[in-house]
Amino acid sequence: MSRINAPGTDPPNPVVTVDELSALRKPNGYPESVNILIVDDEQKNLTVLETVLTGASYRLIRATSAQEALLALIAHEFALLILDINMPGMSGFELAHLIRGRRKSAHVPIIFLTAYYNEDEHVIEGYGTGAVDYLHKPVNPLILRSKVEVFVELYQKTRELAAANAALVEEIAQRRNAQQQLSALNETLEQRIACRTQELAGSEARYRQLADSMPQMVWTARGNGLFDYFNARLCDFTGFGPEQFNNLRSWVSLIHPDDLTQSVDAWTTSVMNAEEYRVEFRLLDRKTQRFGWYLGRALPVRDAAGEVVQWFGTWTDIEDQKRLEAGLRRANQALEQFAYAASHDLREPLRNVAVFTELLQRRCAESLGAEGTSFVETIVGGARRMSQLVDALTEYIQSTHPSGEPATEINVETVLKRVLANLHQRVQETRAEITYDELPRVRMAAVHLEQLLQNLLGNALKYKSDTVSPRVQVSGWRDGADWHFSIRDNGIGMEPAYTEAIFRVFKRLHGSGDKYPGTGIGLAICKSIVERYQGRLWVESALGHGSTFHFTIPIEGPAI
């Protein structure tokens, strides 16, 4: 049975029959709102109850018989039953007994309504069947509504508590599951850690065995710079025990006094800046009681966050290398002194040959004849060329010497402009076009860079094409740890087979005629300058297609 409302209005709380309630269920089986079942075989009584309870936040469900009420209780959930006692077929007491006998509906509170059963024994019987209240008709609307509101609120709180309890149970289950997974992961992790620890122990043992078998002295330190391992060779060399390695006083007797401060400061700086440690110093061999040169090196080992966690270091005996370097320096000094002496001693005889041959030519030209004059000219030309070679040799030797000017950071463009000013007349004569890009600053002695650029640009103008004016492009850019420069021309070029030979001393690809004059030592000087700064010099060329000379200079610049 449905309640009919006036057009355009909706009741505050809907009233439906048991049949209509099935169509209002949610897909998950729960009604939209709180349901209250009112049971009475009299329609007018049901209407009175609906009128009294109008305006509340729940749904009223009608049932006109005990059988209909049982069907509703089987299919649906209710917050409260308002039950008439005197009904045909099955009384309200009997219905209450059946409701209490079912587990699903046993908890539903029941309010009995009666106009006939007013005796105390009836009230007691009603409470005995599980009723929570017993009201007499006619019912006081305020009392009924307040009681219903209490039970509805209790039902809602119970439902909320049940939902919270279900969520808590689910959360507990999830946490138990997570704990089980975590326990499994911990167990797996512990196993992996145990295996890894065993592997590391084996690896460390193999490393120590390898380090102990090396003739080189090997050591390690923690991230803070405190030593924690020395191989057998180092322990045998120093004679130190574990407590002495981190004691500065122990090293005072081992490191040469002139090298002690430098060595300690270098190690302290490396640890503080997390940079590679590299220093040369002298150590006392306690067996021979003599100092020898060693190269100390250490590299930092970093973790995933970039923090230094360990240092691996070595001390390498470089005594033989130092002796060779000293011998090489002595040999170079002797060679340089000889070259200077030779060039000085050769200049005077050559000058005499040239001067007296020219006097002979001027004073005895008639008696010499054509053939004699040719011989004299050959002698004069040879003397002049020999003098040029001696000058070039002196210049080459000077290029291998310190310039006297310290290596500083200089502007390449400024030096290039100075070179172009020096070459101004030749540029005008050849109608050359020399362009350059934005050039970097390099760490060199300005005199060396000027000499290098003047030789390379001079060659570009000298070995020009006969058909077009020279075009020269100077470029510079960063190439890794170096500054890379190129000088590209459109000159005569050369066969690729000669791109290495041209850097040798006195090596020329052309004869000694007037078209391409020179001594063949300019590129050797360029190579000497570049290698002095630990750079490279090379050329790319093809005959008839010009040449591109390349050279590199380290950005940081070596100590010169």
Side-chain angles (χ1 to χ4, degrees):
M1 178 182 297
S2 299
R3 186 176 183 85
I4 306 300
N5 301 309
T9 62
D10 292 317
N13 55 319
V15 181
V16 297
T17 64
V18 172
D19 294 334
E20 292 171 328
L21 182 61
S22 298
L24 296 173
R25 288 172 59 84
K26 283 185 177 179
N28 62 4
Y30 288 97
E32 285 288 336
S33 62
V34 179
N35 296 323
I36 296 179
L37 182 60
I38 53 177
V39 185
D40 201 307
D41 60 322
E42 295 288 340
Q43 293 289 343
K44 61 181 181 180
N45 292 336
L46 293 174
T47 301
V48 170
L49 290 174
E50 293 167 2
T51 302
V52 170
L53 299 175
T54 296
S57 57
Y58 41 79
R59 180 186 293 119
L60 299 176
I61 312 299
R62 288 184 173 205
T64 57
S65 66
Q67 290 78 6
E68 196 173 331
L70 284 174
L71 291 175
L73 286 165
I74 291 172
H76 306 288
E77 183 178 348
F78 292 93
L80 178 65
L81 270 66
I82 301 177
L83 183 58
D84 184 34
I85 297 177
N86 187 24
M87 291 187 297
M90 184 183 298
S91 69
F93 291 147
E94 293 172 331
L95 177 58
H97 278 294
L98 291 175
I99 291 171
R100 287 290 177 259
R102 294 182 66 252
R103 186 176 64 178
K104 181 180 178 181
S105 59
H107 66 284
V108 180
I110 299 173
I111 296 177
F112 280 124
L113 293 179
T114 182
Y116 305 100
Y117 296 89
N118 296 327
E119 302 297 332
D120 290 342
E121 61 269 21
H122 297 144
V123 175
I124 293 173
E125 182 180 0
Y127 283 116
T129 59
V132 295
D133 215 336
Y134 197 99
L135 301 178
H136 299 281
K137 297 178 182 179
V139 178
N140 184 318
L142 293 178
I143 294 176
L144 178 61
R145 178 176 292 185
S146 64
K147 290 181 179 291
V148 169
E149 290 292 346
V150 169
F151 287 114
V152 167
E153 184 179 0
L154 179 62
Y155 173 77
Q156 290 174 332
K157 295 294 184 184
T158 303
R159 248 193 346 186
E160 292 174 1
L161 183 60
N165 186 61
L168 181 60
V169 169
E170 183 178 359
E171 183 179 354
I172 291 173
Q174 291 176 350
R175 289 189 178 185
R176 285 178 178 172
N177 185 40
Q179 187 174 7
Q180 291 174 353
Q181 293 178 355
L182 183 60
S183 298
L185 288 174
N186 283 338
E187 184 177 354
T188 303
L189 182 61
E190 288 174 359
Q191 292 175 352
R192 292 178 63 183
I193 290 174
C195 293
R196 184 59 178 160
T197 302
Q198 186 175 3
E199 292 175 1
L200 288 174
S203 177
E204 183 177 359
R206 289 191 297 272
Y207 164 75
R208 290 178 181 266
Q209 183 179 10
L210 176 63
D212 287 341
S213 65
M214 293 176 63
Q216 197 173 28
M217 289 185 277
V218 180
W219 53 271
T220 64
R222 301 171 192 160
N224 59 5
L226 291 178
F227 300 111
D228 57 8
Y229 168 73
F230 293 87
N231 72 339
R233 169 79 175 90
L234 199 153
C235 292
D236 180 65
F237 180 86
T238 61
F240 288 172
E243 70 284 351
Q244 294 177 278
F245 282 113
N246 286 305
N247 188 342
L248 182 60
R249 293 180 180 177
S250 303
W251 298 100
V252 171
S253 61
L254 190 67
I255 300 177
H256 194 283
D258 295 342
D259 304 331
L260 180 61
T261 301
Q262 173 196 359
S263 303
V264 174
D265 289 348
W267 175 236
T268 303
T269 301
S270 293
V271 172
M272 290 179 60
N273 299 331
E275 298 173 344
E276 178 185 358
Y277 169 70
R278 183 184 180 93
V279 67
E280 293 181 359
F281 55 91
R282 285 162 287 183
L283 290 174
L284 178 66
D285 188 334
R286 62 190 184 89
K287 294 181 179 178
T288 63
Q289 290 298 304
R290 297 178 61 184
F291 284 99
W293 280 100
Y294 286 83
L295 170 63
R297 290 193 64 197
L299 294 174
V301 178
R302 304 177 187 272
D303 59 15
E307 297 294 328
V308 176
V309 295
Q310 196 171 25
W311 293 83
F312 282 90
T314 58
W315 291 345
T316 304
D317 187 343
I318 57 172
E319 180 68 20
D320 291 341
Q321 177 183 332
K322 285 289 186 178
R323 288 174 183 166
L324 288 174
E325 289 176 356
L328 184 60
R329 280 195 299 272
R330 289 193 295 270
N332 284 337
Q333 289 172 356
L335 179 61
E336 289 162 7
Q337 290 173 357
F338 169 77
Y340 275 120
S343 63
H344 178 272
D345 293 343
L346 283 173
R347 277 196 179 92
E348 188 62 27
L350 287 173
R351 187 180 300 109
N352 289 336
V353 170
V355 169
F356 284 102
T357 303
E358 288 177 353
L359 286 174
L360 178 64
Q361 186 180 21
R362 284 198 303 268
R363 295 180 180 182
C364 306
E366 295 180 359
S367 60
L368 288 174
E371 185 178 19
T373 300
S374 175
F375 291 159
V376 169
E377 290 176 350
T378 301
I379 293 172
V380 172
R384 288 176 178 171
R385 177 161 178 76
M386 179 63 72
S387 180
Q388 291 173 352
L389 289 175
V390 170
D391 291 340
L393 181 60
T394 302
E395 185 179 2
Y396 176 75
I397 293 172
Q398 288 175 343
S399 71
T400 63
H401 270 269
S403 64
E405 176 185 343
T408 58
E409 190 177 83
I410 57 174
N411 190 323
V412 177
E413 187 173 329
T414 301
V415 177
L416 177 60
K417 288 179 179 178
R418 192 157 61 239
V419 170
L420 293 178
N422 296 339
L423 297 173
H424 176 72
Q425 183 176 353
R426 197 182 307 177
V427 171
Q428 294 295 318
E429 291 172 353
T430 59
R431 298 182 180 180
E433 178 186 347
I434 300 178
T435 58
Y436 54 89
D437 301 328
E438 183 178 355
L439 299 173
R441 301 175 68 87
V442 297
R443 190 170 186 80
M444 291 182 68
V447 63
H448 285 155
L449 180 60
E450 184 174 348
Q451 192 174 16
L452 174 63
L453 293 176
Q454 183 141 342
N455 273 314
L456 294 177
L457 288 172
N459 279 354
L461 299 177
K462 181 193 298 185
Y463 299 104
K464 66 183 184 64
S465 170
D466 293 332
T467 58
V468 295
S469 298
R471 290 198 307 275
V472 184
Q473 171 66 36
V474 181
S475 302
W477 64 93
R478 182 167 187 156
D479 185 4
D482 299 323
W483 292 119
H484 187 151
F485 297 90
S486 69
I487 298 177
R488 186 177 71 252
D489 63 57
N490 63 340
I492 60 175
M494 70 189 80
E495 295 286 353
Y498 298 115
T499 55
E500 294 185 6
I502 60 170
F503 296 106
R504 298 172 189 164
V505 180
F506 301 128
K507 179 64 178 178
R508 290 175 49 83
L509 300 184
H510 307 277
S512 58
D514 295 334
K515 186 172 184 179
Y516 301 114
T519 61
I521 206 168
L523 290 178
I525 291 174
C526 292
K527 184 177 177 66
S528 173
I529 291 173
V530 171
E531 289 181 347
R532 178 179 183 80
Y533 289 89
Q534 299 178 9
R536 293 177 56 233
L537 173 66
W538 71 99
V539 63
E540 297 172 347
S541 184
L543 190 62
H545 296 282
S547 301
T548 302
F549 283 84
H550 299 265
F551 68 92
T552 62
I553 300 295
I555 292 175
E556 295 299 327
I560 302 301

